[in-house]
Structure formats: structure tokens, C-alpha cells
Coordinates of all heavy atoms in Angstrom, one line a residue:
M1 N 0.8 -1.2 0.0 CA 0.0 0.0 0.0 C 0.9 1.2 0.0 O 1.9 1.3 0.7 CB -0.9 0.0 1.3 CG -1.7 1.2 1.4 SD -2.9 1.2 2.7 CE -2.0 0.7 4.2
K2 N 0.5 2.2 -0.8 CA 1.2 3.5 -0.8 C 0.3 4.6 -0.4 O -0.8 4.6 -0.9 CB 1.8 3.8 -2.2 CG 2.9 2.9 -2.7 CD 3.3 3.2 -4.1 CE 4.3 2.2 -4.6 NZ 4.6 2.4 -6.1
I3 N 0.7 5.5 0.5 CA -0.1 6.6 0.9 C 0.7 7.9 0.6 O 1.8 8.0 1.1 CB -0.4 6.5 2.4 CG1 -1.2 5.2 2.7 CG2 -1.2 7.7 2.9 CD1 -1.5 5.0 4.2
A4 N 0.1 8.8 -0.1 CA 0.7 10.1 -0.3 C -0.1 11.1 0.5 O -1.3 11.2 0.5 CB 0.6 10.5 -1.8
V5 N 0.7 11.9 1.3 CA 0.1 12.9 2.1 C 0.4 14.3 1.4 O 1.6 14.7 1.3 CB 0.6 12.9 3.6 CG1 0.0 14.0 4.4 CG2 0.5 11.5 4.2
A6 N -0.6 14.9 1.0 CA -0.4 16.2 0.2 C -1.4 17.3 0.7 O -2.3 17.0 1.4 CB -0.6 15.9 -1.3
G7 N -1.1 18.5 0.3 CA -2.0 19.6 0.7 C -1.2 20.9 0.7 O -0.1 20.9 0.5
K8 N -1.9 21.9 1.1 CA -1.3 23.2 1.1 C -0.3 23.4 2.2 O -0.3 22.5 3.1 CB -2.3 24.4 1.1 CG -3.1 24.5 2.3 CD -4.1 25.7 2.1 CE -4.2 26.4 3.4 NZ -4.9 27.7 3.3
G9 N 0.5 24.4 2.2 CA 1.6 24.6 3.1 C 1.1 24.7 4.6 O 0.1 25.4 4.9
G10 N 1.8 24.0 5.5 CA 1.6 24.2 6.9 C 0.4 23.6 7.5 O 0.0 23.9 8.6
V11 N -0.3 22.7 6.8 CA -1.5 22.2 7.3 C -1.3 20.9 8.1 O -2.3 20.4 8.7 CB -2.5 21.8 6.2 CG1 -3.0 23.1 5.5 CG2 -2.0 20.9 5.2
G12 N -0.1 20.4 8.2 CA 0.2 19.2 9.0 C 0.5 18.0 8.3 O 0.5 16.9 8.8
K13 N 0.9 18.1 7.0 CA 1.3 16.9 6.2 C 2.4 16.1 6.8 O 2.3 14.9 6.9 CB 1.7 17.4 4.8 CG 0.7 18.1 4.0 CD 1.2 18.6 2.6 CE 2.4 19.5 2.7 NZ 2.0 20.9 3.2
T14 N 3.5 16.8 7.2 CA 4.6 16.0 7.7 C 4.3 15.4 9.0 O 4.6 14.2 9.3 CB 5.8 17.0 7.9 OG1 6.1 17.6 6.6 CG2 7.0 16.3 8.4
T15 N 3.5 16.1 9.8 CA 3.1 15.5 11.1 C 2.2 14.3 10.9 O 2.5 13.2 11.6 CB 2.3 16.6 12.0 OG1 3.1 17.7 12.1 CG2 2.0 16.0 13.3
V16 N 1.3 14.4 10.0 CA 0.4 13.2 9.7 C 1.2 12.1 9.1 O 1.0 10.9 9.5 CB -0.8 13.6 8.8 CG1 -1.5 12.4 8.2 CG2 -1.7 14.6 9.5
A17 N 2.1 12.4 8.2 CA 2.9 11.3 7.6 C 3.7 10.6 8.6 O 3.8 9.4 8.6 CB 3.8 11.9 6.5
A18 N 4.3 11.3 9.5 CA 5.2 10.7 10.6 C 4.3 9.9 11.5 O 4.7 8.8 11.9 CB 5.9 11.8 11.4
L19 N 3.1 10.4 11.9 CA 2.3 9.6 12.8 C 1.8 8.3 12.1 O 1.7 7.2 12.7 CB 1.1 10.5 13.2 CG 1.4 11.6 14.2 CD1 0.2 12.5 14.4 CD2 1.9 11.1 15.5
L20 N 1.4 8.4 10.8 CA 1.0 7.2 10.1 C 2.2 6.2 10.0 O 2.0 5.0 10.3 CB 0.6 7.6 8.6 CG -0.7 8.3 8.5 CD1 -0.9 8.7 7.0 CD2 -1.9 7.3 8.9
A21 N 3.4 6.7 9.7 CA 4.5 5.8 9.6 C 4.8 5.1 10.9 O 5.0 3.9 11.0 CB 5.8 6.6 9.2
R22 N 4.8 5.9 12.0 CA 5.0 5.3 13.4 C 3.9 4.3 13.7 O 4.1 3.3 14.3 CB 5.1 6.5 14.4 CG 6.3 7.2 14.4 CD 7.4 6.4 15.1 NE 8.7 7.2 15.1 CZ 9.9 6.6 15.3 NH1 9.9 5.3 15.3 NH2 11.0 7.3 15.3
S23 N 2.6 4.7 13.4 CA 1.5 3.8 13.7 C 1.6 2.5 13.0 O 1.4 1.4 13.7 CB 0.2 4.5 13.4 OG 0.0 5.7 14.1
F24 N 1.9 2.5 11.7 CA 2.0 1.2 11.0 C 3.1 0.4 11.5 O 3.0 -0.8 11.6 CB 2.1 1.5 9.5 CG 0.8 2.0 8.9 CD1 0.8 3.1 8.0 CD2 -0.4 1.4 9.1 CE1 -0.4 3.6 7.4 CE2 -1.6 1.8 8.5 CZ -1.6 2.9 7.7
A25 N 4.3 1.1 11.7 CA 5.4 0.4 12.2 C 5.2 -0.3 13.6 O 5.6 -1.4 13.8 CB 6.6 1.3 12.3
A26 N 4.4 0.4 14.4 CA 4.1 -0.1 15.8 C 3.2 -1.4 15.7 O 3.2 -2.2 16.6 CB 3.4 1.0 16.6
K27 N 2.5 -1.5 14.5 CA 1.6 -2.7 14.3 C 2.4 -3.8 13.7 O 1.9 -4.9 13.4 CB 0.5 -2.3 13.4 CG -0.6 -1.5 14.0 CD -1.7 -1.2 13.0 CE -2.7 -0.2 13.5 NZ -3.5 -0.6 14.6
G28 N 3.7 -3.5 13.5 CA 4.6 -4.6 12.9 C 4.7 -4.6 11.4 O 5.3 -5.5 10.9
L29 N 4.1 -3.6 10.8 CA 4.2 -3.5 9.3 C 5.5 -2.8 8.9 O 6.1 -2.0 9.6 CB 3.0 -2.7 8.8 CG 1.7 -3.2 9.0 CD1 0.6 -2.2 8.7 CD2 1.5 -4.5 8.2
G30 N 6.1 -3.3 7.8 CA 7.3 -2.7 7.2 C 6.9 -1.3 6.6 O 5.9 -1.2 5.8
V31 N 7.6 -0.3 7.0 CA 7.3 1.1 6.5 C 8.5 1.7 5.9 O 9.6 1.7 6.4 CB 6.8 2.0 7.7 CG1 6.5 3.4 7.2 CG2 5.6 1.4 8.3
I32 N 8.3 2.3 4.7 CA 9.3 3.1 4.1 C 8.7 4.5 4.0 O 7.7 4.8 3.3 CB 9.7 2.7 2.7 CG1 10.3 1.3 2.7 CG2 10.7 3.6 2.0 CD1 10.6 0.6 1.4
A33 N 9.3 5.5 4.8 CA 8.7 6.8 4.8 C 9.6 7.7 3.9 O 10.8 7.8 4.0 CB 8.8 7.4 6.2
V34 N 8.9 8.3 2.9 CA 9.6 9.1 1.9 C 9.2 10.6 2.1 O 8.0 10.9 2.0 CB 9.3 8.6 0.5 CG1 10.0 9.5 -0.6 CG2 9.7 7.2 0.3
D35 N 10.2 11.5 2.2 CA 9.9 12.9 2.3 C 10.3 13.5 1.0 O 11.5 13.6 0.6 CB 10.7 13.5 3.5 CG 10.2 14.9 3.8 OD1 9.4 15.5 3.0 OD2 10.6 15.5 4.8
A36 N 9.3 14.0 0.2 CA 9.6 14.5 -1.1 C 9.7 16.1 -1.1 O 9.8 16.7 -2.1 CB 8.5 14.1 -2.1
D37 N 9.7 16.6 0.1 CA 9.8 18.1 0.3 C 11.2 18.5 0.1 O 12.1 17.9 0.8 CB 9.2 18.4 1.7 CG 9.0 19.9 1.8 OD1 9.8 20.7 1.2 OD2 8.1 20.3 2.6
P38 N 11.5 19.5 -0.7 CA 12.9 19.9 -0.8 C 13.5 20.4 0.5 O 14.7 20.3 0.8 CB 12.8 21.1 -1.8 CG 11.6 21.0 -2.5 CD 10.6 20.2 -1.6
C39 N 12.6 20.9 1.4 CA 13.0 21.3 2.7 C 12.5 20.2 3.7 O 11.5 20.3 4.4 CB 12.3 22.7 3.1 SG 12.9 23.3 4.6
A40 N 13.2 19.1 3.6 CA 12.8 17.9 4.3 C 12.9 18.0 5.8 O 13.9 18.4 6.3 CB 13.6 16.7 3.8
C41 N 11.8 17.6 6.5 CA 11.9 17.6 7.9 C 11.1 16.4 8.5 O 10.7 16.4 9.7 CB 11.4 18.9 8.5 SG 9.7 19.3 8.1
L42 N 10.8 15.4 7.6 CA 10.1 14.2 8.1 C 11.0 13.5 9.2 O 10.4 12.9 10.1 CB 9.8 13.3 6.9 CG 9.0 12.0 7.3 CD1 7.7 12.3 8.0 CD2 8.8 11.2 6.0
G43 N 12.3 13.5 9.0 CA 13.2 12.8 9.9 C 13.0 13.4 11.3 O 13.0 12.7 12.3
S44 N 12.9 14.7 11.4 CA 12.6 15.4 12.7 C 11.3 15.0 13.2 O 11.2 14.6 14.4 CB 12.7 16.9 12.5 OG 12.3 17.5 13.6
A45 N 10.3 15.0 12.4 CA 8.9 14.6 12.9 C 8.9 13.2 13.3 O 8.1 12.8 14.2 CB 7.9 14.8 11.8
L46 N 9.7 12.3 12.7 CA 9.7 10.9 13.1 C 10.5 10.7 14.4 O 10.5 9.7 15.0 CB 10.4 10.1 12.0 CG 9.5 9.7 10.8 CD1 10.4 9.2 9.7 CD2 8.4 8.8 11.2
G47 N 11.3 11.8 14.8 CA 12.0 11.7 16.0 C 13.4 11.0 15.9 O 14.0 10.5 16.8
L48 N 13.9 11.0 14.6 CA 15.2 10.4 14.4 C 16.3 11.3 15.1 O 16.1 12.5 15.2 CB 15.5 10.4 12.9 CG 14.5 9.6 12.0 CD1 15.0 9.6 10.5 CD2 14.4 8.2 12.5
P49 N 17.4 10.6 15.5 CA 18.5 11.4 16.1 C 19.0 12.4 15.1 O 19.0 12.2 13.9 CB 19.5 10.3 16.4 CG 18.8 9.0 16.3 CD 17.6 9.2 15.5
R50 N 19.5 13.6 15.7 CA 19.9 14.6 14.8 C 21.1 14.2 13.9 O 21.2 14.6 12.8 CB 20.5 15.8 15.7 CG 19.3 16.7 16.2 CD 19.9 17.8 17.0 NE 18.9 18.6 17.7 CZ 18.1 19.5 17.1 NH1 18.4 19.9 15.9 NH2 17.2 20.1 17.8
E51 N 21.9 13.4 14.4 CA 23.1 12.9 13.6 C 22.6 12.1 12.4 O 23.1 12.3 11.3 CB 24.0 12.0 14.5 CG 25.4 11.8 13.9 CD 25.4 10.6 12.9 OE1 24.7 9.7 13.1 OE2 26.2 10.8 11.9
L52 N 21.6 11.3 12.6 CA 21.0 10.6 11.5 C 20.3 11.5 10.5 O 20.4 11.4 9.3 CB 20.1 9.5 12.0 CG 19.4 8.6 10.9 CD1 20.4 7.9 10.0 CD2 18.5 7.5 11.6
Q53 N 19.6 12.5 11.1 CA 18.9 13.5 10.2 C 19.8 14.2 9.3 O 19.6 14.4 8.1 CB 18.1 14.5 11.1 CG 16.9 14.0 11.8 CD 16.3 15.1 12.6 OE1 16.2 16.2 12.2 NE2 15.9 14.8 13.8
S54 N 21.0 14.5 9.9 CA 22.0 15.3 9.1 C 22.6 14.5 7.9 O 23.1 15.1 7.0 CB 23.1 15.8 10.0 OG 23.9 14.7 10.4
R55 N 22.4 13.2 8.0 CA 23.0 12.4 6.9 C 21.9 12.1 5.8 O 22.2 11.4 4.8 CB 23.5 11.1 7.4 CG 24.8 11.3 8.2 CD 25.5 10.0 8.5 NE 25.0 9.4 9.7 CZ 24.6 8.1 9.7 NH1 24.7 7.3 8.6 NH2 24.1 7.6 10.8
L56 N 20.7 12.5 6.0 CA 19.6 12.3 5.0 C 19.8 13.2 3.9 O 20.0 14.4 4.1 CB 18.2 12.4 5.6 CG 17.9 11.5 6.8 CD1 16.5 11.8 7.3 CD2 17.9 10.0 6.3
E57 N 19.7 12.7 2.6 CA 19.8 13.6 1.5 C 18.4 13.8 0.8 O 17.7 12.8 0.5 CB 20.7 12.9 0.4 CG 21.0 13.8 -0.8 CD 21.8 13.1 -1.9 OE1 22.3 12.0 -1.6 OE2 21.9 13.6 -3.0
P58 N 18.0 15.0 0.7 CA 16.7 15.3 0.1 C 16.6 14.7 -1.3 O 17.5 14.8 -2.1 CB 16.6 16.8 0.1 CG 17.6 17.3 1.0 CD 18.7 16.3 1.1
I59 N 15.4 14.1 -1.6 CA 15.2 13.5 -2.9 C 15.4 14.6 -4.0 O 15.9 14.3 -5.1 CB 13.8 12.9 -3.0 CG1 13.7 11.6 -2.2 CG2 13.4 12.6 -4.5 CD1 12.4 11.0 -2.2
S60 N 15.0 15.8 -3.7 CA 15.1 16.9 -4.7 C 16.6 17.1 -5.2 O 16.8 17.7 -6.2 CB 14.6 18.2 -4.2 OG 15.2 18.5 -3.0
G61 N 17.5 16.7 -4.4 CA 18.9 16.8 -4.8 C 19.5 15.6 -5.5 O 20.6 15.7 -6.0
M62 N 18.6 14.6 -5.7 CA 19.1 13.4 -6.4 C 18.7 13.4 -7.9 O 17.8 12.8 -8.3 CB 18.5 12.1 -5.7 CG 18.8 12.0 -4.3 SD 18.0 10.5 -3.6 CE 18.4 10.6 -1.9
A63 N 19.4 14.3 -8.6 CA 19.0 14.6 -10.0 C 19.0 13.3 -10.8 O 18.2 13.1 -11.7 CB 20.0 15.6 -10.6
D64 N 20.0 12.4 -10.6 CA 20.1 11.2 -11.4 C 18.9 10.3 -11.1 O 18.4 9.7 -12.1 CB 21.4 10.4 -11.1 CG 22.6 11.2 -11.6 OD1 22.5 12.1 -12.4 OD2 23.8 10.9 -11.2
L65 N 18.5 10.2 -9.9 CA 17.4 9.3 -9.5 C 16.1 9.9 -10.1 O 15.3 9.1 -10.7 CB 17.2 9.2 -8.0 CG 16.0 8.5 -7.5 CD1 16.2 7.0 -7.8 CD2 15.8 8.7 -6.0
I66 N 15.9 11.2 -10.1 CA 14.7 11.8 -10.6 C 14.7 11.6 -12.1 O 13.6 11.2 -12.7 CB 14.7 13.3 -10.3 CG1 14.5 13.5 -8.8 CG2 13.6 14.1 -11.1 CD1 14.7 15.0 -8.3
K67 N 15.8 11.7 -12.8 CA 15.8 11.5 -14.2 C 15.5 10.1 -14.6 O 14.8 9.8 -15.5 CB 17.2 12.0 -14.8 CG 17.2 11.9 -16.3 CD 18.5 12.4 -16.9 CE 18.5 12.3 -18.4 NZ 19.8 12.6 -19.0
E68 N 16.1 9.2 -13.8 CA 15.9 7.7 -14.1 C 14.4 7.4 -13.9 O 13.9 6.6 -14.7 CB 16.8 6.9 -13.1 CG 16.6 5.4 -13.2 CD 17.1 4.7 -12.0 OE1 18.2 5.1 -11.5 OE2 16.4 3.8 -11.5
R69 N 13.8 7.9 -12.9 CA 12.4 7.5 -12.6 C 11.4 8.2 -13.4 O 10.3 7.7 -13.6 CB 12.1 7.6 -11.1 CG 13.0 6.8 -10.2 CD 12.7 5.3 -10.4 NE 13.7 4.5 -9.7 CZ 13.6 4.1 -8.5 NH1 12.5 4.3 -7.8 NH2 14.5 3.4 -7.9
T70 N 11.7 9.5 -13.8 CA 10.6 10.3 -14.4 C 11.0 10.8 -15.8 O 10.2 11.2 -16.6 CB 10.3 11.6 -13.6 OG1 11.5 12.4 -13.6 CG2 10.0 11.2 -12.1
G71 N 12.3 10.7 -16.1 CA 12.8 11.2 -17.4 C 13.0 12.7 -17.4 O 13.4 13.3 -18.3
A72 N 12.6 13.4 -16.2 CA 12.7 14.8 -16.1 C 14.1 15.3 -15.8 O 14.8 14.6 -15.0 CB 11.8 15.3 -15.0
E73 N 14.6 16.3 -16.5 CA 15.9 16.9 -16.2 C 15.7 18.2 -15.4 O 14.6 18.8 -15.5 CB 16.7 17.1 -17.5 CG 17.1 15.8 -18.1 CD 18.0 16.0 -19.2 OE1 19.0 16.7 -19.0 OE2 17.8 15.4 -20.3
K74 N 16.8 18.7 -14.8 CA 16.7 19.9 -14.0 C 16.5 21.1 -14.9 O 17.0 21.1 -16.0 CB 18.0 20.0 -13.2 CG 17.9 21.0 -12.1 CD 19.2 20.9 -11.3 CE 19.1 21.8 -10.1 NZ 20.3 21.9 -9.3
G75 N 15.7 22.0 -14.5 CA 15.5 23.3 -15.2 C 14.2 23.4 -16.0 O 13.7 22.4 -16.5
L76 N 13.7 24.6 -16.0 CA 12.4 24.8 -16.7 C 12.4 24.6 -18.2 O 11.4 24.3 -18.8 CB 12.0 26.3 -16.3 CG 10.6 26.8 -16.8 CD1 9.5 25.9 -16.2 CD2 10.4 28.2 -16.4
R77 N 13.6 24.9 -18.8 CA 13.6 24.9 -20.3 C 13.2 23.5 -20.8 O 12.7 23.4 -21.9 CB 15.0 25.3 -20.8 CG 16.1 24.3 -20.6 CD 17.4 24.8 -21.0 NE 18.5 24.0 -20.5 CZ 19.0 23.0 -21.2 NH1 18.5 22.7 -22.4 NH2 19.9 22.2 -20.7
H78 N 13.3 22.4 -20.0 CA 12.9 21.1 -20.5 C 11.4 21.0 -20.5 O 10.9 20.0 -21.1 CB 13.6 20.0 -19.6 CG 15.1 20.1 -19.7 ND1 15.8 19.7 -20.8 CD2 16.0 20.5 -18.8 CE1 17.1 19.9 -20.6 NE2 17.2 20.4 -19.4
L79 N 10.7 21.8 -19.8 CA 9.3 21.8 -19.8 C 8.7 22.6 -20.9 O 7.5 22.4 -21.2 CB 8.8 22.3 -18.4 CG 9.2 21.6 -17.2 CD1 8.7 22.3 -16.0 CD2 8.7 20.2 -17.2
L80 N 9.5 23.4 -21.5 CA 8.9 24.3 -22.6 C 9.1 23.6 -24.0 O 10.0 22.8 -24.2 CB 9.7 25.6 -22.7 CG 9.6 26.5 -21.4 CD1 10.6 27.6 -21.5 CD2 8.2 27.0 -21.3
P81 N 8.1 23.9 -24.9 CA 8.3 23.3 -26.2 C 9.4 23.9 -26.9 O 10.0 24.9 -26.4 CB 6.9 23.7 -26.9 CG 6.5 24.9 -26.1 CD 7.0 24.7 -24.7
A82 N 9.8 23.4 -28.1 CA 10.9 23.9 -28.8 C 10.7 25.4 -29.1 O 9.5 25.8 -29.3 CB 11.1 23.2 -30.1
Q83 N 11.7 26.2 -29.0 CA 11.6 27.6 -29.2 C 11.0 28.0 -30.6 O 11.4 27.4 -31.6 CB 12.9 28.3 -29.1 CG 12.8 29.8 -28.9 CD 13.9 30.4 -28.1 OE1 14.7 29.8 -27.6 NE2 13.9 31.8 -28.0
P84 N 10.0 28.8 -30.6 CA 9.3 29.1 -31.9 C 10.3 29.9 -32.8 O 11.2 30.5 -32.4 CB 8.1 30.0 -31.5 CG 8.5 30.6 -30.2 CD 9.4 29.6 -29.5
Q85 N 9.9 29.8 -34.1 CA 10.7 30.5 -35.1 C 10.6 32.0 -34.8 O 9.6 32.5 -34.4 CB 10.2 30.2 -36.5 CG 10.3 28.7 -36.9 CD 11.2 28.6 -38.1 OE1 11.2 29.5 -39.0 NE2 11.9 27.5 -38.2
G86 N 11.8 32.7 -35.0 CA 11.7 34.1 -34.9 C 12.1 34.6 -33.5 O 11.9 35.8 -33.2
G87 N 12.6 33.7 -32.7 CA 13.2 34.3 -31.5 C 12.6 33.8 -30.2 O 13.3 33.0 -29.5
R88 N 11.5 34.3 -29.8 CA 11.1 34.1 -28.4 C 9.6 33.7 -28.3 O 8.9 33.8 -29.3 CB 11.4 35.3 -27.6 CG 10.6 36.6 -28.1 CD 11.0 37.8 -27.3 NE 10.4 39.0 -27.8 CZ 9.1 39.3 -27.4 NH1 8.5 38.6 -26.6 NH2 8.6 40.4 -27.9
Y89 N 9.3 33.3 -27.2 CA 7.9 32.9 -26.9 C 7.1 34.2 -26.8 O 7.6 35.2 -26.2 CB 7.7 32.1 -25.6 CG 8.5 30.8 -25.6 CD1 9.7 30.7 -25.1 CD2 7.9 29.7 -26.3 CE1 10.4 29.5 -25.2 CE2 8.6 28.5 -26.4 CZ 9.9 28.4 -25.8 OH 10.5 27.3 -25.9
P90 N 5.8 34.2 -27.2 CA 5.0 35.4 -27.1 C 4.9 35.8 -25.6 O 4.7 35.0 -24.7 CB 3.6 35.0 -27.6 CG 3.9 33.7 -28.4 CD 5.1 33.1 -27.8
G91 N 5.0 37.1 -25.3 CA 4.9 37.6 -24.0 C 6.1 37.4 -23.1 O 6.0 37.7 -21.9
T92 N 7.2 37.0 -23.7 CA 8.4 36.8 -22.9 C 9.5 37.8 -23.3 O 9.4 38.3 -24.4 CB 9.0 35.4 -23.0 OG1 9.3 35.1 -24.3 CG2 7.9 34.3 -22.6
V93 N 10.5 38.0 -22.5 CA 11.6 38.9 -22.8 C 12.8 38.0 -22.8 O 13.0 37.2 -21.9 CB 11.7 40.0 -21.7 CG1 12.9 40.8 -21.9 CG2 10.4 40.8 -21.7
Q94 N 13.6 38.2 -23.8 CA 14.9 37.5 -23.9 C 15.8 37.9 -22.7 O 15.9 39.1 -22.4 CB 15.5 37.8 -25.2 CG 16.4 36.7 -25.8 CD 15.5 35.6 -26.4 OE1 14.4 35.4 -26.0 NE2 16.0 34.9 -27.4
R95 N 16.4 36.9 -22.1 CA 17.4 37.3 -21.0 C 18.4 38.2 -21.5 O 19.0 38.0 -22.6 CB 18.0 36.0 -20.5 CG 18.9 36.2 -19.3 CD 19.4 34.9 -18.7 NE 18.4 34.4 -17.8 CZ 18.5 33.2 -17.2 NH1 19.5 32.5 -17.4 NH2 17.6 32.8 -16.3
G96 N 18.7 39.3 -20.7 CA 19.7 40.3 -21.1 C 19.1 41.4 -22.0 O 19.8 42.4 -22.3
T97 N 17.9 41.2 -22.5 CA 17.3 42.3 -23.3 C 16.5 43.3 -22.4 O 15.7 42.9 -21.6 CB 16.2 41.6 -24.3 OG1 16.8 40.6 -25.0 CG2 15.6 42.7 -25.2
P98 N 16.9 44.5 -22.5 CA 16.3 45.5 -21.6 C 14.8 45.7 -22.0 O 14.5 45.6 -23.2 CB 17.0 46.8 -21.8 CG 17.8 46.6 -23.1 CD 17.9 45.1 -23.3
R99 N 13.9 45.7 -21.0 CA 12.5 45.9 -21.3 C 12.3 47.3 -21.8 O 13.0 48.3 -21.3 CB 11.7 45.7 -20.0 CG 11.5 44.3 -19.6 CD 10.8 44.3 -18.2 NE 10.7 42.9 -17.7 CZ 9.8 42.1 -18.0 NH1 8.8 42.4 -18.8 NH2 9.8 40.8 -17.5
H100 N 11.3 47.5 -22.7 CA 11.0 48.9 -23.1 C 10.2 49.6 -22.0 O 9.1 49.1 -21.6 CB 10.2 48.8 -24.4 CG 9.7 50.2 -24.8 ND1 10.5 51.2 -25.3 CD2 8.4 50.7 -24.8 CE1 9.8 52.2 -25.6 NE2 8.5 52.0 -25.3
T101 N 10.7 50.7 -21.5 CA 10.0 51.4 -20.5 C 9.5 52.7 -21.2 O 10.3 53.5 -21.6 CB 10.9 51.8 -19.3 OG1 11.5 50.6 -18.9 CG2 10.1 52.4 -18.2
P102 N 8.2 52.9 -21.3 CA 7.7 54.2 -21.9 C 8.1 55.4 -21.0 O 8.2 55.3 -19.8 CB 6.2 54.0 -21.8 CG 5.9 52.9 -20.9 CD 7.1 52.1 -20.7
P103 N 8.5 56.5 -21.7 CA 8.9 57.7 -21.0 C 7.8 58.3 -20.2 O 6.6 58.0 -20.5 CB 9.4 58.6 -22.1 CG 8.6 58.2 -23.3 CD 8.4 56.7 -23.2
P104 N 8.1 59.0 -19.1 CA 7.1 59.6 -18.3 C 6.3 60.6 -19.1 O 6.8 61.1 -20.1 CB 7.8 60.3 -17.2 CG 9.3 59.9 -17.3 CD 9.5 59.3 -18.6
P105 N 5.0 60.8 -18.8 CA 4.2 61.7 -19.5 C 4.8 63.1 -19.6 O 5.5 63.6 -18.7 CB 2.9 61.8 -18.7 CG 2.9 60.7 -17.8 CD 4.3 60.3 -17.6
G106 N 4.7 63.7 -20.8 CA 5.3 65.1 -21.0 C 6.7 65.1 -21.5 O 7.2 66.1 -21.8
R107 N 7.4 63.9 -21.6 CA 8.7 63.9 -22.1 C 8.8 63.4 -23.5 O 8.0 62.5 -23.9 CB 9.6 63.0 -21.2 CG 9.8 63.6 -19.8 CD 10.8 62.8 -19.0 NE 12.2 63.2 -19.3 CZ 13.2 62.5 -18.8 NH1 13.0 61.4 -18.2 NH2 14.4 62.9 -19.1
N108 N 9.7 63.9 -24.3 CA 9.8 63.5 -25.6 C 10.4 62.1 -25.7 O 11.2 61.7 -24.9 CB 10.8 64.5 -26.4 CG 10.1 65.8 -26.6 OD1 8.9 65.9 -26.5 ND2 11.0 66.8 -26.6
R109 N 10.0 61.4 -26.7 CA 10.6 60.0 -26.9 C 11.9 60.1 -27.5 O 12.3 61.0 -28.2 CB 9.7 59.2 -27.8 CG 8.4 58.9 -27.1 CD 7.5 58.0 -28.0 NE 6.3 57.7 -27.2 CZ 6.1 56.4 -26.8 NH1 6.8 55.4 -27.2 NH2 5.0 56.2 -26.1
Ligands
ATP1 N1 -3.3 18.6 14.5 C1 -2.5 19.6 14.8 N2 -2.8 20.5 15.7 C2 -2.0 21.6 16.0 N3 -0.8 21.8 15.4 C3 -0.4 21.0 14.5 C4 -1.2 19.8 14.1 N4 -0.6 19.2 13.1 C5 0.6 19.9 12.9 N5 0.7 20.9 13.7 C6 1.8 21.9 13.8 O1 1.6 22.7 12.6 C7 2.9 23.0 12.1 C8 3.0 22.6 10.7 O2 2.9 21.1 10.6 P1 3.7 20.3 9.5 O3 5.1 20.7 9.4 O4 3.4 18.9 9.7 O5 2.9 20.9 8.2 P2 3.3 20.6 6.7 O6 2.0 20.6 6.0 O7 4.1 19.5 6.5 O8 4.1 22.0 6.4 P3 4.9 22.3 5.1 O9 4.0 22.6 4.0 O10 5.7 23.6 5.6 O11 5.8 21.1 4.8 C9 4.0 22.3 13.0 O12 4.4 23.2 13.9 C10 3.1 21.2 13.6 O13 3.7 20.9 14.9
MG2 MG1 6.1 19.3 5.6

């Protein structure tokens, strides 16, 4: 069985996940607790010793694992379609290109 605990920020996801993991483990079930939060603190909620917590590596830092399991690579550009002919996506500004700022009212262009 896999259980995903999700929801908006600060509503108690990590606390619930830790309590579920501890409850199932106390019943003798094998539990693998996975914290997918880049700012991982499930180890703390589980009450793991600080030394052990400091050795945990967040999944978000495991680029090779993420690529292997999902095919996704780091960076937004991989989510965008091929760049359209003629330069840029509509409504975007090329990096390094100064935005056009209209002059204040009353000043010549
Ligand atoms: N049932 C509850 N009653 C009161 N406080 C709670 C309850 N559940 C969690 N909290 C407290 O609310 C705070 C946020 O909880 P938690 O870190 O579990 O939320 P989260 O959804 O994982 O947050 P984040 O989105 O930042 O990861 C913590 O200080 C936690 O101790
Ligand atoms: Mg959390």
C-alpha cells in the first residue's frame, strides 16, 4: 500500500505522515517513509536522532534518480516546447534584453 500525504503549506502533512509511519510500524508493518519536500523535515517529525537526520539527502537533490524514474531533467527549459521560429515565446523577454519602458508623460521620446 502506498499513501501520499499532500495539501497546502503548513496544514500538518509532515506531522500526519510521521504519525502514520509510526502507527503502521508499531503494528509490525514494514514502513518506508519518503519525504519529497525539498525542505525535508520528516526525519525530525519521526524523532530520528539529529546525527542521522543530518545524513539524510533530500530527494530533490538526487538529480540522477529523478531523471531515471521520471525522465525529467533539471531546469524549466525542459518543460517548454521547442523555441518558436523568430526568436522568443509570445509575452516573454529574452534574457539580457532591456525591457522597453515608456517615458514619463510630458517627455519626448
Ligand atoms: N493537528 C495539529 N494541531 C496543532 N498543530 C499541528 C497539528 N498538526 C501539525 N501541527 C503543527 O503545525 C505546524 C506545521 O505542521 P507540518 O510541518 O506537519 O505541516 P506541513 O503541511 O508538513 O508543512 P509544510 O507545508 O511547511 O511542509 C507544525 O508546527 C506542527 O507541529
Ligand atoms: Mg512538511
